Every structure is written in structure tokens, then in C-alpha cells.
Amino acid sequence: MAAARRFDRAAAAPAALLLLSFGGLAAAGVEDQAEQFFRSGHTNNWAVLVCTSRFWFNYRHVANTLSVYRSVKRLGIPDSHIVLMLADDMACNPRNPKPATVFSHKNMELNVYGDDVEVDYRSYEVTVENFLRVLTGRIPPSTPRSKRLLSDDRSNILIYMTGHGGNGFLKFQDSEEITNIELADAFEQMWQKRRYNELLFIIDTCQGASMYERFYSPNIMALASSQVGEDSLSHQPDPAIGVHLMDRYTFYVLEFLEEINPDSQTNMNDLFQVCPKSLCVSTPGHRTDLFQRDPKNVLITDFFGSVRKVEITTETISLQRDSGIMESSHEEGQRDEELMEPLKYAEQLPVAQIIHQKPKLKDWHPPGGFILGLWALIIMVFFKTYGIKHMKFIF
Amino acid sequence: MPAVHGGERRWEAEAAPGMAAARPLALLVLLVLGPGGWGFADPPRDSLREELVITPLPSGDVAATFQFRTRWDSELQREGDTDHYFLRYAVLPREVVCTENLTPWKKLLPCSSKAGLSVLLKADRLFHTSYHSQAVHIRPVCRNAHCTSISWELRQTLSVVFDAFITGQGKKDWSLFRMFSRTLTEPCPLASESRVYVDITSYNQDNETLEVNPLPTTTYQDVILGTRKTYAVYDLHDTAIINNSRNLNLQLKWKKPPENEAPPVPFLHAQRYVSGYGLQKGELSTLLYNTHPYRAFPVLLLDTVPWYLRLYVHTLTITSKGKENKPSYIHYQPAQDRLQPHLLEMLIQLPANSVTKVSIQFERALLKWTEYTPDPNHGFYVSPSVLSALVPSMVAAKPVDWEESPLFNSLFPVSDGSNYFVRLYTEPLLVNLPTPDFSMPYNVICLTCTVVAVCYGSFYNLLTRTFRIEEPSTGGLAKRLANLIRRARGVPPL
């Protein structure tokens, strides 16, 4: 009897333990989900996509950048939050047999140029100086809003760069380079000014891993298409267009991103596996030591998408019409009609007026340094030649 | 500002979500706001008018021009007295125009490629053309007939010429679907007028050269750019046009192939070119053609030449019909290096039926190393000249009625019917500047390092190294195995 009771109690205890643990797990599951909702600390997303190569044979770099642009837009980042820099125009290039298109897959399957592309920095504007100014925010006041990176300390920024590069540098348009040290310092400036919450840096060039070796600011995760000493290769040429359409790494990244939609739970570890050596021929690399969160907890949409956390309310808000404004507009309309005398359209080519113009009076400016210096020299020479005694007759 | 608020609110009232069915609702809202809002004396002012003009060309190609006019009342004041008699245009050569320019342009349209004529604006068709032009004009216009106050007008125009050869078609039959890969379904709900005009001036239905399908219900005749023209009109607000097939696909069929006559030449056209040889000097020439048989007229020519082409103004010559032609007015502002370009403005009288040649010689400057573009061997662009003229018309036109006449007639309205205003741009030019060889530093470094390594290095080795004889190596594995076998045979080893 006692043995049976003991057995019962012995059986009950693990059963109770099991029940407790199940309950605990269930509670932890809900908490986990709630925690995940608030896990990443960002409130807005930005993307800076840079293609640094010029000339028709570098079509693939423009296609790379536009594929990332397309994915990022599809997943929700609006044009106002994307700074797209393309160093040359491929779509309307006279050598393009299908104008207004840039293809990523051969047989013209996917037009990544799209129908509503907005390029912020074009052609000669894509320089190292402009790129660094965009990142650090040190931009002249006349720059339009679409050309600025207006990020704050809760922004997650995706920076994608592609072009020709080497060990420690990236070439901009065949005339200048940016080094990995400059890039690391630019990111440090961004950190000091709190211009990002987390940064994802992706680079698709030869020896791309050298570009992220020197980073030292926190919260940066970096991916590159090849290690130091390796070349990144291009994917496939298209016989109709005549050039290589994409680089391998970005081609497989594009295929990976096409499977993502705004509510995907795919994390960064999957992105690290994207292009193994068998497909890419080069070895993609990544760097996560500066990043505080574990990559498996970082969602792809944290950087590529723009997931907003929305709270739905059921209250109704009624807007009042402001009658004061409408009455005053009516009065002003009446006043205007009484006071102003009739205007008329200008003559388009007033020949008589043009011929008989009076010459404009130029403003008088005081003489410049050169003239003053010249006269001072002449006076000095005069007095030296003929003696200082002449001075008293003048002054 | 009150009137701007009024404009905005009225816009929202009319911004039904794109479906024609919602329009009655919008009207209802407007009525409710009516008495408190707009000046009750004036009729409700139209906000948007859209138009498409299709012109078949004698070569078999077809030109299409879109015009969208948005007008709004605003108390936005012009600053002071801008003397717009002397307002001029600036030109930027070598701006690539592609979908990236079309996107913000489309965003200015109220219906923005969702309804109305703007559904035809698809980039992959619009840029696969032999000519493409986009424009945005903003200007103040009179609000009423007395012109006591102004309202602002935004005009957007887009012109394309579809080339049968480029699009690879055998027959030169055109339809809206073939041109734009879309058809028209409904007018923009915000538009008060939405029309398509087809130019049938030379091609009457009786003549049976060109057949337009479906048959137009009305035609419109007027004097456009000095000649009398006839248009077939299709009004999208007319429900009979968009019949039971729910779309309008205009078709133009050539019954007889278009005659290979010379196309009509405009009264004023111009050409510009660079002549000369070498990389030091050159000559810039502009040819102005006046093909009017008996009328001479003045032309205002504006040239902006970059500073690195140093113009010699004493070589400026203007000749018409072999004789020198002195301009009625000349204004020249010389360039300052790296600060501002040359500005040359002249009022030239073009005699009837003549060619006037304006030429000026220049010298090319050597730029500093860092001022060259990343692709300097492509060349540097010179902006086109701008010609403004009041060209006499063959047929007198009546003054434009802003409300009634179609948009394409009122872009440059006529003040009196005897002439019409034209602004022409010549082609931009490409000149080569003396370009240094940018591969020089790399080549020089390679060459000198090689020479130093070979010459000096050899001498250094000869002078500083000691040499000694080295025992020959015993040989590889094969040799050892062979020696083993030879010893076994009793033969001397290798």
C-alpha cells in the first residue's frame, strides 16, 4: 500500500513536473512572440545603393544595384528613403537594344529597371565625395531632399556597393577610389552623430572582404562576395544585349530575396549561406563581431524591408470644418477684384524694345588688390628715384 | 493662405478614388461646400484638362503629343516686377532622359497613370522611339476675362515619334495598342476635358489615303502654327466613344501607301555644327533657314558657350545670301574661366527665302588634371542655341480663347493672328578638348621600375655578389630509380 502510494507519488511528481514545464513553455512561447515584436530597436529603414562603374561593359553593376533596389522597394522601403546612385545610364544607352530596360536574367525575363525608378545621383554626381557626404550628412543646404540620407538613431540602414575593387579599395568611375579606412571612418562618423541604429553593409566586388576588415564602429554587419585574393565573377551573358547581365553573388542574393515577402521570418543566417563556393566560385564572407544581436535573431526584413509596427484604434475622430478660413478667402477674393487694375500677357518678342534698350549701369566697385598694388609700386619707385623730399609737397 | 486652402479642399472633394461611379458623390460633396467656399459669381473653374494629339507623318511614322493642364488659384505672389521681356532660358546639354525622369513627371499628374490619357504613358514604349521630349511649364494666367487676378497654370507636355523601322514593323499601320501597348478605357475623373485629336488635314476620308477607325463624331478646324488644319476629335467623356467593348483603340490604316513627297518644311529651322580640324582651334557655325517666300522676320539667337571654348568675337560673321548682315541688337558677356560661360545674344533680321550663317571661331583650352570628367575622350558638350521668333503665318488666326480652344493651340498663344511664336533649340554639339593621356602615370612607373630593375639591378648584382660553383643536384626520383636499376645491371650510373 505504502509502496503503491509512493509509486503514485513518484509517478505524480514527474507528471506534475511535466505539466509545470508545459505550462511554462506555453507561457514562454507567448512571451517570446511578444518579445520578438519589440526585439529590433529600429523605427525606420533606409537604403543607400551605389553603383560605381561607368561604361556599357559594366552593365552588370547597374543591374546588380537595380536588383537590390527592386527588392528593397518591393519589401516596403519607399523611394523617399532610398538613395540610389548609378554612375552611368544603361537603360537609355544608345547601345541598349531594348531601351528603358535593364535585365537581370537572360532571355529578358526580369526587367529590374522597372516602371517607377527614381535615381538620386546620376552619372558624374557619383563621386567619393558625394557618397561620403550622403553618409555623414555634411551636405550643402541647397541639396534636394531626395538626395539626402535623413536617418536618425533608430534607423536601420542597408548600404550596398558594387563595382570594381581590389584589396582595400573600391574604384569610383575609373577616376578615383575609396579605401576601406575611409569607409570605416565614415561609419564611425555616422555612429558618433547617431545616424544609424544598425547597419548592414553588402559589397559585391573583387576582394570585397577587404572593405569590411577595418570597421570598428558598433552595430555593423557586413557581407562580401569574395575574400581577399579572390575575384568575384559575373554570371551569364545575354547574346542579344552582348554583355554580362549580373554578378553571381548578387544574382543568387536576388533569387533569395525574391522569396521574401514583408512578413517573412527568414533570418540573417540564411543570407550568409546564399552563394556557396560551388555556385559562386568565390567564397562569400561576412562579419558579425561588431553586431550586438545574434544573426539568427535578425530578420531579413529588418534591413531589406520596412516593417512598420502599427497600432489599430477603434476610436473615431471627427474633423471640424474651419468656417473662419473660408469666409476670409471669399472676402479677399472680392477685395482683390476691386483693387487691382487689369494685367495683360507679355509680348513674346518685343523687337522694338530689344533694339532700343539702354545699356545697364554697372555698379562701381572699389579697385581690387592688383590695381592698388600696382599704383603703390609706381609711387614707391617714383619717390625712391626722385627722393623723399617730394613727399612734403603732396601731403 | 486662404485661397490655397480652398484649392486644396476642392481637390480633395473631387479626388474620388478613380472610378467614374464615385463622381456623383464628389459632386454632392462639392455642393455642400459650395455656398461657403468659392466665389459664387464665377463658374467652377476647371482643374485638369488632358489631350492627346496624334499626327500621322508623310514618312509613315506617327507623332503623339500629350498635354496635361492643371490650373489652380493661389495667392502665391510673383516677386516684385520680374521684367519678363528679358527672361531667358538656360540649357543643360547631355542630360540623359529615361524612365527616371518620367517617374517624377508622372507624379505631377492628378490621375498619375491610373486613369485617363496617362495610362498610355508606359516607359518601355515611350523610350523605344526616335524622338522623345518632356516638358513642364509653370506660368501665371489671367483668372477671368478682365484679368484682375491671376491663377497659376501647370502644363506638362510629352511628345514622341514612333518610328516604324525602329519598332520593327512591316506595315505602317498604327493603333493605340501598337504604339503604347494599352488602350484608353475611361477619362480621368478629375479631368473636365479629356480628348484625343487625330490630324487628318491631308488625309480626308474621301481621298482614301488614310482611314481612321472608329469614325470620329466631330471634327475640329483651326489655324495651327500658321496653317489651316483639321482634326478628328474623340471625347472620352462621350459615352458613345467608349462603346460596349469598354475601350477605345484608335486605328490608323493607310489605304494607299503614303506618297513619297517631300514633307512640308517649316518657315524657320536651324542647324548648328562645329568645323575645323585638330585640337587647338575650331569654328562654330549656325545656319538659320527662312523658307517663307516673301516675308522677312527677326530672330533672337541666344548662345551659351562654355568657358573652355575661348571665342574670338572679332571673328563673328553673319552672312545672308552672300552679303554681310548686321544684327539689330547684340549683347555679349565674355566668359570667366571656371566661373561663367560666354553669353551671346543677337537679334538678326532674316531676309525672305534665304539661309543665314552665323559663325565664330574659337580656341580650345587645356583643363586642369582634375577637371576632366571620368570619360574625357567622349568629348565635352556645348549647349544648343535657342532661337525665338515671331514667324508670319500664311493664314490669319483668330485670337485664342483660353477656355474653348484645345490645349495644343494655347501653349504659345497668338496676340494677333498674323504671326505665331516659336522657340527652337538646335542640336547640342560635342567637341573634343586636348586630353592628356591618363594612363601615363601608371605606364611611366612600370617602365622606369623595369628599366631600373634590369639595368641598375644587373650592375648591382655583378658588383656586390660573390659567385661560387654549385654541385649539380643528384637528380630526381626517376634518376635515382634508374641508377638503382643500372647498378643492378652492372652498368655505370647516370
Side-chain angles (χ1 to χ4, degrees):
Chain A
M1 211 42 165
R5 219 174 290 138
R6 247 183 287 129
F7 179 75
D8 277 338
R9 218 174 283 144
L17 263 176
L18 268 172
L19 270 173
L20 266 175
S21 61
F22 270 132
L25 265 177
V30 167
E31 269 175 23
D32 230 0
Q33 276 182 353
E35 200 187 308
Q36 191 125 33
F37 193 70
F38 296 106
R39 188 157 291 171
S40 60
H42 72 282
T43 58
N44 56 79
N45 284 82
W46 287 81
V48 178
L49 311 172
V50 185
C51 163
T52 59
S53 302
R54 173 168 277 278
F55 305 121
W56 174 246
F57 49 82
N58 290 320
Y59 181 104
R60 58 188 191 280
H61 296 141
V62 172
N64 289 350
T65 318
L66 287 172
S67 329
V68 179
Y69 172 79
R70 171 207 154 74
S71 311
V72 147
K73 247 177 106 153
R74 195 176 52 82
L75 293 173
I77 303 187
D79 270 313
S80 53
H81 282 224
I82 303 178
V83 178
L84 179 61
M85 304 170 80
L86 296 180
D88 202 358
D89 161 60
M90 299 301 165
C92 285
N93 194 310
R95 293 171 78 162
N96 192 348
K98 295 209 63 138
T101 57
V102 174
F103 293 108
S104 60
H105 290 61
K106 71 174 178 207
N107 301 325
M108 300 182 186
E109 284 168 21
L110 181 59
N111 174 17
V112 289
Y113 194 58
D115 217 14
D116 57 349
V117 59
E118 280 189 24
V119 180
D120 302 307
Y121 285 84
R122 319 153 57 170
S123 186
Y124 301 136
E125 294 168 356
V126 179
T127 56
V128 175
E129 182 189 341
N130 281 348
F131 174 62
L132 292 178
R133 282 187 186 278
V134 163
L135 286 186
T136 55
R138 293 157 70 172
I139 280 187
S142 56
T143 320
R145 226 183 134 91
S146 58
K147 287 183 161 174
R148 293 178 188 243
L149 179 66
L150 299 165
S151 56
D152 52 30
D153 61 321
R154 302 285 291 279
S155 311
N156 273 13
I157 308 183
L158 164 72
I159 298 184
Y160 176 84
M161 302 183 76
T162 182
H164 290 288
N167 190 356
F169 67 91
L170 170 62
K171 188 168 74 153
F172 266 70
Q173 290 207 53
D174 225 5
S175 64
E176 49 184 2
E177 296 134 12
I178 185 172
T179 56
N180 48 6
I181 301 173
E182 282 175 6
L183 194 57
D185 288 341
F187 287 163
E188 175 65 13
Q189 276 197 49
M190 287 174 80
W191 176 250
Q192 302 262 349
K193 290 165 81 162
R194 295 292 180 266
R195 279 171 70 78
Y196 68 89
N197 174 36
E198 284 167 350
L199 199 99
L200 176 64
F201 176 75
I202 305 183
I203 184 160
D204 188 348
T205 63
C206 303
Q207 309 193 50
S210 62
M211 289 303 284
Y212 62 61
E213 274 173 359
R214 300 291 193 130
F215 291 167
Y216 55 94
S217 319
N219 283 352
I220 301 184
M221 191 179 332
L223 280 106
S225 58
S226 55
Q227 301 293 333
V228 175
E230 284 180 346
D231 286 338
S232 291
L233 302 180
S234 56
H235 189 227
Q236 47 180 222
D238 182 307
I241 299 180
V243 283
H244 285 261
L245 293 182
M246 283 274 271
D247 279 331
R248 282 175 193 248
Y249 181 69
T250 313
F251 182 82
Y252 291 107
V253 168
L254 173 67
E255 282 200 350
F256 172 80
L257 289 175
E258 289 284 300
E259 319 258 311
I260 309 275
N261 42 19
D263 57 348
S264 295
Q265 297 295 312
T266 335
N267 56 38
M268 280 294 163
N269 277 340
D270 301 325
L271 188 59
F272 295 157
Q273 311 301 326
V274 151
C275 199
K277 197 165 162 113
S278 55
L279 288 174
C280 253
V281 185
S282 56
T283 320
H286 53 92
R287 179 177 177 180
T288 52
D289 56 316
L290 295 166
F291 205 75
Q292 281 171 8
R293 290 191 285 150
D294 193 343
K296 75 171 192 300
N297 293 333
V298 180
L299 300 177
I300 299 284
T301 49
D302 279 352
F303 288 102
F304 285 88
S306 183
V307 182
R308 308 287 170 120
K309 300 182 174 47
V310 190
E311 195 183 300
I312 302 178
T313 173
T314 49
E315 295 175 16
T316 48
I317 303 171
S318 57
L319 297 167
Q320 304 256 335
R321 198 187 332 143
D322 193 346
S323 51
I325 295 177
M326 292 173 54
E327 279 166 13
S328 62
S329 82
H330 171 52
E331 281 167 21
E332 277 203 26
Q334 268 193 331
R335 242 184 294 131
D336 272 332
E337 298 216 15
E338 290 159 12
L339 290 175
M340 294 189 50
E341 64 269 352
L343 310 155
K344 51 189 190 337
Y345 291 106
E347 258 184 77
Q348 279 143 352
L349 194 69
V351 176
Q353 284 224 346
I354 293 175
I355 296 178
H356 300 300
Q357 276 183 72
K358 296 205 184 6
K360 300 187 216 354
L361 289 168
K362 294 246 169 28
D363 297 327
W364 180 82
H365 295 288
F370 177 74
I371 302 286
L372 282 175
L374 187 68
W375 280 108
L377 182 67
I378 291 172
I379 290 173
M380 289 277 298
V381 167
F382 171 77
F383 283 121
K384 281 209 156 34
T385 328
Y386 295 104
I388 206 79
K389 60 184 187 285
H390 292 276
M391 282 275 275
K392 64 174 184 284
F393 292 107
I394 303 193
F395 291 107
Chain B
M1 301 256 70
V4 170
H5 272 225
E8 282 176 354
R9 217 179 288 121
R10 183 167 187 265
W11 202 254
E12 279 151 10
E14 279 185 288
M19 296 323 257
R23 254 192 295 159
L25 178 62
L27 279 174
L28 181 64
V29 175
L30 190 59
L31 283 172
V32 166
L33 288 178
W38 289 99
F40 38 75
D42 296 327
R45 309 193 61 257
D46 62 310
S47 316
L48 173 69
R49 286 174 62 178
E50 50 181 25
E51 248 174 39
L52 167 60
V53 179
I54 298 180
T55 313
L57 300 172
S59 60
D61 304 331
V62 67
T65 305
F66 291 84
Q67 275 213 35
F68 300 92
R69 203 255 340 245
T70 314
R71 192 151 65 180
W72 72 100
D73 300 330
S74 160
E75 292 310 311
L76 198 68
Q77 294 297 340
R78 286 181 295 167
E79 6 178 285
D81 291 318
T82 356
D83 204 346
H84 42 240
Y85 294 140
F86 302 111
L87 188 64
R88 294 291 176 259
Y89 285 66
V91 280
L92 287 174
R94 190 61 176 129
E95 267 298 306
V96 170
V97 178
C98 206
T99 316
E100 60 211 48
N101 301 88
L102 188 65
T103 310
W105 189 93
K106 279 202 284 196
K107 285 187 177 171
L108 291 174
L109 299 173
C111 275
S112 174
S113 82
K114 300 280 194 300
L117 294 177
S118 39
V119 297
L120 299 177
L121 299 173
K122 288 297 158 200
D124 53 343
R125 310 296 299 176
L126 289 179
F127 290 101
H128 205 49
T129 52
S130 56
Y131 177 81
H132 177 103
S133 147
Q134 279 170 233
V136 175
H137 305 267
I138 299 183
R139 59 184 179 181
V141 293
C142 296
R143 197 183 291 191
N144 47 28
H146 308 291
C147 212
T148 45
S149 54
I150 57 172
S151 54
W152 289 87
E153 180 191 86
L154 167 71
R155 261 194 212 235
Q156 292 169 256
T157 57
L158 192 144
S159 304
V160 283
V161 174
F162 291 99
D163 193 326
F165 180 70
I166 286 182
T167 51
Q169 301 179 109
K171 294 185 301 186
K172 293 186 179 174
D173 290 335
W174 295 103
S175 68
L176 280 185
F177 188 77
R178 227 176 196 173
M179 291 194 273
F180 302 106
S181 68
R182 294 283 186 289
T183 54
L184 293 169
T185 48
E186 50 166 356
C188 174
L190 296 167
S192 60
E193 278 177 35
S194 183
R195 296 206 182 118
V196 180
Y197 292 82
V198 182
D199 185 351
I200 51 174
T201 314
S202 341
Y203 317 108
N204 299 328
Q205 297 288 70
D206 326 325
N207 218 355
E208 295 217 358
T209 332
L210 177 75
E211 182 195 312
V212 181
N213 192 7
L215 285 174
T217 46
T218 48
T219 54
Y220 172 73
Q221 288 200 5
D222 204 351
V223 178
I224 312 287
L225 291 183
T227 47
R228 189 165 289 284
K229 294 206 172 148
T230 314
Y231 293 89
V233 184
Y234 298 86
D235 191 345
L236 289 179
H237 283 288
D238 186 1
T239 43
I241 296 284
I242 298 184
N243 50 14
N244 41 9
S245 70
R246 301 281 306 155
N247 68 0
L248 170 66
N249 186 15
L250 278 172
Q251 283 165 346
L252 306 169
K253 281 206 195 38
W254 294 97
K255 285 285 184 60
K256 293 189 287 214
E259 295 145 23
N260 284 339
E261 59 184 31
V265 180
F267 287 143
L268 173 68
H269 62 281
Q271 250 186 327
R272 201 173 187 219
Y273 57 89
V274 171
S275 49
Y277 59 91
L279 287 176
Q280 198 202 352
K281 299 195 297 252
E283 188 178 0
L284 200 58
S285 306
T286 313
L287 295 176
L288 308 169
Y289 296 84
N290 176 1
T291 56
H292 200 286
Y294 49 87
R295 290 280 300 271
F297 53 87
V299 160
L300 189 64
L301 175 69
L302 174 76
D303 263 329
T304 314
V305 180
W307 67 266
Y308 40 80
L309 298 184
R310 304 191 196 278
L311 296 180
Y312 290 120
V313 188
H314 72 279
T315 57
L316 174 68
T317 48
I318 307 172
T319 45
S320 312
K321 291 182 172 171
K323 289 190 301 212
E324 201 203 322
N325 181 351
K326 195 158 174 304
S328 322
Y329 166 76
I330 247 190
H331 171 65
Y332 174 65
Q333 194 172 347
Q336 292 180 30
D337 272 10
R338 301 173 182 88
L339 286 180
Q340 66 181 47
H342 301 272
L343 180 70
L344 182 59
E345 198 173 12
M346 295 181 282
L347 186 70
I348 308 174
Q349 298 284 344
L350 301 182
N353 209 9
S354 66
V355 179
T356 307
K357 182 171 173 190
V358 180
S359 59
I360 187 167
Q361 289 178 8
F362 62 85
E363 189 185 68
R364 301 170 209 235
L366 186 66
L367 300 180
K368 291 188 188 162
W369 182 267
T370 47
E371 286 171 354
Y372 285 99
T373 53
D375 53 352
N377 290 297
H378 178 79
F380 289 77
Y381 283 91
V382 180
S383 32
S385 344
V386 187
L387 303 169
S388 317
L390 279 173
V391 182
S393 42
M394 281 299 225
V395 183
K398 58 183 197 303
V400 160
D401 184 353
W402 287 88
E403 305 298 321
E404 296 299 321
S405 53
L407 292 176
F408 60 87
N409 205 6
S410 56
L411 184 57
F412 289 123
V414 290
S415 45
D416 63 84
S418 60
N419 46 23
Y420 57 92
F421 181 75
V422 143
R423 177 163 284 132
L424 282 184
Y425 299 88
T426 60
E427 49 272 272
L429 301 172
L430 191 58
V431 293
N432 266 63
L433 292 184
T435 310
D437 183 357
F438 289 99
S439 61
M440 276 271 293
Y442 173 74
N443 290 341
V444 165
I445 291 172
C446 286
L447 188 65
T448 50
C449 290
T450 310
V451 166
V452 166
V454 169
C455 298
Y456 176 70
S458 320
F459 271 114
Y460 178 81
N461 281 339
L462 280 172
L463 293 173
T464 55
R465 298 206 190 285
T466 53
F467 297 93
R468 58 185 168 85
I469 299 174
E470 206 183 62
E471 298 298 313
S473 60
T474 47
L477 179 65
K479 201 163 171 197
R480 265 186 265 140
L481 281 175
N483 281 338
L484 211 65
I485 297 171
R486 286 176 88 105
R487 223 173 335 132
R489 285 170 59 196
V491 163
L494 287 169

